[in-house]
Amino acid sequence: MSALFEPYTLRSLVIPNRVWMAPMCQYSAEPVGPNTGVATDWHFAHLAARAVGGTGLVLTEATAVGPEGRISPADLGIWNDVQVAGLRRITDFLKSQGSVPGIQLAHAGRKGSTAAPWLGGGPVGPDEHGWTPVAPSPLPFDDGYPVPHELTADEIQDIVGEFREAARRALDAGFEVAEVHGAHGYLIGQFLSPHSNRRTDEYGGCFENRIRFALQVVDAVREVWPDGLPVFFRVSATDWLTENDQDEREGWTVDETVRLAVELRAHGVDLLDVSSGGNAPRARIETAPGYQVPFAERVRSQTSLPVAAVGLITEPQQAEKIITEGRADAVLLGRELLRNPSWAQYAARRLGAELRRPEQYLRAV
């Protein structure tokens, strides 16, 4: 039996294998009108194909907890019941194929109100359905980006409430895993990092203050999420900033990620989804196959929190080795699943594992 295709249990939820789909934005929802943020046929086909292909856990793209939480005007949302109905159609199908449906709950913060990547990806204004982004501090993400509105303490609590209500709606939509998006320089990650958080109140300064918002969001989600179902947290293990980076304030570090993991476990998080980067646009990142796996491995070895590894994991034997060597409890595939929706089926054949196939596709065995 391949370790990659062994079931994995978190609380009372059994995920059929360790091949999981990482959240990947599609920028394909309606940007304005009654169907703003509602899942379309594209989202259904995109997510359904990976379930048909044998992926054990299928996570949606970053799904905004409020209109100002979107990365782009064309992002998915889960702040109203119309959006819930569109997502329920997807979760019903994923479950029918034996996959576990998961949702990533997100707020983009200062990286919000931007165009889709194929439209340039830069900031958009009100004439293009944009808005004024918000952040822990009035620091633009990069040159050419607007100065974000600095959140007040009351506004921070409003967003905590948006995460709580989004989690409640996610449960109504049929999701079985809720992932809080604290990575890639979006709002929670902006609070975590001294690179983007210059506050002097209870949400800024020392480590305990910078993680306060993240823990409050986790508490809000856990408050409405069933005890038998898991909550994940996605983190950027490092901002990839060093003291030698000119004009760059010190960033979030791997040491702080380990400390955060301990706190997250105490607040009811069941697994850390370990990525990196995204908060500093000119950080120097050296990529290679599995380049982020050591971050996940360190968290797993130094804390009791399970982890999933991500980042240029492309080959079945590579993924199998990550699991068998105890470096992570599961692997998350992004671009590789865009290239091959049936990667799990391909990997099972290569590793000699048994994996359920839809009856309609049995002739391909």
Side-chain angles (χ1 to χ4, degrees):
M1 181 66 178
S2 161
L4 190 62
F5 289 95
E6 290 180 354
Y8 189 63
T9 301
L10 288 166
R11 297 191 180 234
S12 64
L13 181 68
V14 179
I15 304 173
N17 60 57
R18 317 296 182 95
V19 179
W20 299 353
M21 178 178 172
M24 291 174 285
C25 288
Q26 299 297 292
Y27 308 101
S28 297
E30 290 294 328
V32 68
N35 289 322
T36 298
V38 174
T40 65
D41 287 347
W42 175 265
H43 297 96
F44 180 91
H46 168 64
L47 297 169
R50 278 75 198 170
V52 169
T55 307
L57 168 65
V58 176
L59 285 163
T60 67
E61 64 188 74
T63 306
V65 300
E68 293 181 350
R70 292 172 292 170
I71 301 168
S72 83
D75 282 7
L76 286 184
I78 192 163
W79 65 82
N80 65 45
D81 292 340
V82 176
Q83 295 161 343
V84 169
L87 291 167
R88 188 180 297 117
R89 175 189 175 215
I90 294 173
T91 61
D92 285 347
F93 184 82
L94 299 185
K95 291 175 185 176
S96 77
Q97 299 306 302
S99 294
V100 170
I103 186 169
Q104 187 182 68
L105 303 175
H107 195 297
R110 68 177 184 169
K111 292 178 75 174
S113 191
T114 60
W118 53 85
L119 297 176
V124 296
D127 56 332
E128 298 175 276
H129 313 302
W131 58 91
T132 300
V134 300
S137 301
L139 303 170
F141 171 64
D142 197 3
D143 297 339
Y145 279 68
V147 175
H149 166 70
E150 182 175 17
L151 290 164
T152 67
D154 286 344
E155 289 169 338
I156 291 170
Q157 288 308 301
D158 289 342
I159 294 175
V160 171
E162 288 180 343
F163 272 94
R164 179 185 296 108
E165 292 309 305
R168 195 190 311 275
R169 288 192 172 94
L171 189 65
D172 291 343
F175 289 100
E176 296 176 306
V177 172
E179 176 171 273
V180 175
H181 195 0
H184 301 158
Y186 297 117
L187 186 62
I188 294 175
Q190 291 162 28
F191 272 90
L192 294 177
S193 174
H195 175 72
S196 46
N197 184 349
R198 313 289 176 86
R199 299 178 73 96
T200 58
D201 63 1
E202 67 270 30
Y203 290 99
C206 67
F207 172 81
E208 290 76 13
N209 284 354
R210 285 184 282 114
I211 70 170
R212 190 182 307 277
F213 176 56
L215 297 182
Q216 288 180 343
V217 168
V218 167
D219 287 344
V221 171
R222 190 77 264 180
E223 179 183 328
V224 298
W225 202 247
D227 288 341
L229 295 179
V231 170
F232 292 5
F233 188 96
R234 187 166 226 196
V235 68
S236 282
T238 173
D239 282 341
W240 293 96
L241 295 177
T242 73
E243 60 184 11
N244 295 321
D245 287 313
Q246 294 182 357
D247 301 323
E248 296 286 12
R249 186 181 174 94
E250 180 185 357
W252 180 257
T253 67
V254 182
D255 288 344
E256 289 178 311
T257 294
V258 173
R259 292 176 64 188
L260 175 65
V262 174
E263 295 295 331
L264 291 172
R265 183 62 181 260
H267 284 255
V269 167
D270 300 284
L271 180 139
L272 196 66
D273 172 356
V274 186
S275 188
S276 70
N279 197 35
R282 282 173 294 281
R284 293 172 290 184
I285 304 175
E286 297 182 5
T287 63
Y291 72 104
Q292 296 178 136
V293 175
F295 303 141
E297 181 181 16
R298 182 169 170 190
V299 171
R300 192 175 191 270
S301 68
Q302 295 186 7
T303 76
S304 59
L305 189 62
V307 299
V310 65
L312 292 181
I313 299 170
T314 60
E315 296 298 326
Q317 290 291 353
Q318 176 196 17
E320 176 82 359
K321 191 174 181 181
I322 290 168
I323 304 302
T324 58
E325 292 182 348
R327 305 183 74 190
D329 300 281
V331 295
L332 285 153
L333 277 67
R335 291 175 177 85
E336 191 62 22
L337 274 175
L338 293 183
R339 289 186 281 266
N340 182 1
S342 296
W343 189 91
Q345 298 284 1
Y346 160 72
R349 290 195 301 272
R350 290 286 300 273
L351 298 171
E354 294 290 334
L355 186 62
R356 176 189 178 276
R357 285 178 177 272
E359 294 175 346
Q360 297 91 332
Y361 287 179
L362 288 179
R363 75 191 74 174
V365 175

